[in-house]
Amino acid sequence: MEWVETTGRTVEDAKEAALDELGVDEADAEFEVLAEAQTGLFGRLRSEARVRARVKPTAPRSKDDRRDRRRRNGRSQSTASGTSAGRASGGRSPRSATGERDADGTGPDEPAPTPSGTGSGDSADDAQDQSARRRRRRPRSRTRSETPGGAPLDVSGATDDSPLTKAPEATAKGTDVEVALEEQADIAKEFLTELTAEFGLEATVAINRSDDDTVELQLTGGDLGILIGPKGATLVAIQNLTRTVVYNETGANNGHINVDVGGYRQKRAEALARFATQVANTVKQTGQRTAMEPMSSIDRKVVHDTITGIDGVSTISEGEEPRRRVVVLPD
Amino acid sequence: MTPSDGGALDEVEGDEWEDAGHPEGGRARTVLQLLATRLVDNPDAVRVETSEARNGIKLSLHVAPDDMGKVIGRRGRVAQSIRSVVRAAGARDGVDVFVDIVD
């Protein structure tokens, strides 16, 4: 299991950076604080906080495992006992149980995986009511994701009384709300449409289902470069805000929302993946570790993910932001 | 201290600025207003004030006290994103924009 090392102004920052890099939830990661940040005179930063993190070792192949767990419904449950006993005590597996119960056990108030589809006949008030309720439960989900150790406890508590649980209680307890990706995507689309209009841009927002739990909002139109910004910084910000808005309004803890403008991210990722594959092959042939140039965490993730799928090489990140880079190692 | 005088002066400056084609901060302001409104629980409490800064304009964002966390986010991540997007909106008008989140 590979470790990544990150730095930040505070330990929290560094942890956050590590999570970005690993692409997992805080509950699925394990941290080691290497150094606290030290402040010098007048609060100037003398040295950054450093942490080491890795995905909690729950299964031999981290990447597949991650995908597996994200899928959570049905499949992960039925296969969990077979593939890895460790996973049950890990991060997500118990939650998938919660998610399923949300879906079928807790009655009409609980947002089922396809609330927008089935609820279209209901009044709009009803839908608003629902989103308001999800809002209220949001702080709890925050707290919980910050205390990974507490997660299994939470869930077991919910399991005990689940059959008798009334909806409001379940609402308070069930911190992972499964919201249909379609519903999340609709909110994202509406937000992005509004945002581009305020920018005075004419953009079309398309919703593409990338895979089981990822949806991509693709903006197309003329003159959208301003939404990408230097090195894609504005695009990253727009994506962050879109995710935050969707989360605020749904409380959804499932699925991933990506935002892309004019295929920028995809082109960039494709080129990067090709390049990473080349580097990996060279490393395999020469047996020499190779450091790549510094990249953003998003780009590094593309490299990590690409090379994880190649046998005989592995990757780590080293250096400090903004000059942090991926190093490709021969096995 | 004559508040009315001060108010009048402010208004004149504001009007001149609007004449220059940047109604109260232009796109940057409306974008900030939109973002803040969508991020908070109390959209009615969102207020954006425009003032001149050295090399551009300053937008001061006011939200309900309970919503401060919403517009700042964990380790300032939301605030950072807001600034980034609002600056891009300002750049479209050719204006340098600073966002100040006021508590």
Side-chain angles (χ1 to χ4, degrees):
Chain A
M1 194 66 49
E2 51 179 323
W3 287 87
V4 299
E5 218 176 285
T6 52
T7 59
R9 294 182 64 86
T10 64
V11 171
E12 267 306 303
D13 284 10
K15 281 187 180 179
E16 192 79 22
L19 291 177
D20 282 355
E21 201 151 307
L22 293 170
V24 298
D25 190 70
E26 198 159 346
D28 297 326
E30 149 177 323
F31 297 102
E32 240 176 62
V33 177
L34 302 176
E36 302 267 347
Q38 290 188 322
T39 42
L41 205 54
F42 308 127
R44 282 206 191 129
L45 204 63
R46 254 174 45 202
S47 73
E48 296 199 297
R50 302 183 69 87
V51 302
R52 224 153 74 95
R54 65 169 173 175
V55 179
K56 273 188 189 161
T58 49
R61 291 162 306 142
S62 67
K63 202 178 161 196
D64 289 355
D65 183 48
R66 247 181 274 156
R67 286 211 183 112
D68 226 36
R69 275 186 287 167
R70 269 200 239 132
R71 217 164 282 149
R72 74 183 55 186
N73 265 336
R75 191 174 170 266
S76 74
Q77 269 200 320
S78 55
T79 57
S81 54
T83 51
S84 120
R87 194 192 292 160
S89 61
R92 291 265 170 115
S93 213
R95 290 190 202 174
S96 69
T98 330
E100 283 221 324
R101 194 168 42 254
D102 282 354
D104 54 26
T106 46
D109 284 305
E110 198 57 31
T114 54
S116 62
T118 54
S120 58
D122 296 347
S123 68
D125 282 356
D126 211 299
Q128 272 181 350
D129 214 44
Q130 251 186 21
S131 80
R133 202 176 302 125
R134 290 194 207 109
R135 257 170 191 249
R136 259 178 267 129
R137 113 185 59 168
R138 199 173 73 98
R140 298 201 106 239
S141 73
R142 268 284 158 92
T143 330
R144 182 170 147 210
S145 67
E146 274 159 17
T147 53
L153 277 176
D154 256 26
V155 170
S156 67
T159 309
D160 287 344
D161 52 21
S162 67
L164 303 171
T165 307
K166 285 173 203 142
E169 278 170 17
T171 299
K173 261 187 192 130
T175 47
D176 286 296
V177 190
E178 288 260 343
V179 178
L181 262 183
E182 288 77 13
E183 189 189 339
Q184 298 187 42
D186 284 345
I187 294 171
K189 176 177 177 171
E190 184 252 334
F191 169 70
L192 288 167
T193 306
E194 230 180 315
L195 181 64
T196 46
E198 291 293 4
F199 264 83
L201 297 167
E202 281 183 27
T204 313
V205 185
I207 299 174
N208 304 321
R209 191 67 176 251
S210 314
D211 61 49
D212 273 3
D213 53 13
T214 309
V215 72
E216 181 201 64
L217 285 289
Q218 183 66 251
L219 279 65
T220 48
D223 216 15
L224 298 185
I226 196 146
L227 298 179
I228 297 173
K231 288 186 182 172
T234 308
L235 178 55
V236 170
I238 289 174
Q239 174 173 286
N240 282 340
L241 292 170
T242 306
R243 288 174 173 171
T244 308
V245 165
V246 171
Y247 182 60
N248 276 353
E249 292 177 17
T250 65
N253 226 336
N254 61 308
H256 269 285
I257 294 175
N258 293 329
V259 179
D260 194 8
V261 171
Y264 170 84
R265 205 185 281 285
Q266 201 187 332
K267 277 178 224 156
R268 167 105 189 141
E270 281 169 6
L272 205 52
R274 272 198 303 276
F275 179 62
T277 307
Q278 268 177 28
V279 172
N281 287 332
T282 311
V283 169
K284 228 185 337 187
Q285 280 162 21
T286 62
Q288 292 232 304
R289 61 176 266 157
T290 304
M292 299 178 75
E293 66 189 53
M295 294 173 206
S296 72
S297 61
I298 290 175
D299 288 350
R300 289 200 304 270
K301 180 150 174 19
V302 172
V303 175
H304 286 304
D305 286 353
T306 305
I307 296 183
T308 302
I310 301 175
D311 284 339
V313 285
S314 56
T315 53
I316 55 164
S317 290
E318 65 176 31
E320 298 189 8
E321 298 283 7
R323 297 199 50 83
R324 200 162 164 72
R325 59 193 187 172
V326 176
V327 181
V328 186
L329 307 165
D331 278 349
Chain B
M1 183 77 181
T2 51
S4 57
D5 282 3
L9 192 63
D10 282 348
E11 265 174 34
V12 171
E13 281 177 353
D15 284 350
E16 279 174 1
W17 215 71
E18 284 182 36
D19 289 345
H22 306 284
E24 296 176 40
R27 294 199 164 97
R29 184 200 165 107
T30 51
V31 165
L32 177 58
Q33 183 90 36
L34 166 71
L35 294 177
T37 306
R38 291 300 294 258
L39 289 167
V40 300
D41 283 342
N42 305 293
D44 293 345
V46 171
R47 202 157 43 83
V48 179
E49 280 168 12
T50 311
S51 55
E52 279 182 54
R54 260 160 296 163
N55 299 316
I57 62 165
K58 183 170 99 175
L59 298 177
S60 305
L61 173 64
H62 300 259
V63 300
D66 285 351
D67 281 330
M68 284 303 283
K70 294 264 165 59
V71 291
I72 292 172
R74 261 204 289 181
R75 68 178 192 130
R77 183 179 243 191
V78 176
Q80 202 183 351
S81 297
I82 291 176
R83 291 200 170 94
S84 178
V85 174
V86 171
R87 243 196 310 261
R92 221 172 126 64
D93 288 337
V95 198
D96 246 340
V97 181
F98 309 90
V99 178
D100 192 14
I101 297 173
V102 186
D103 65 351

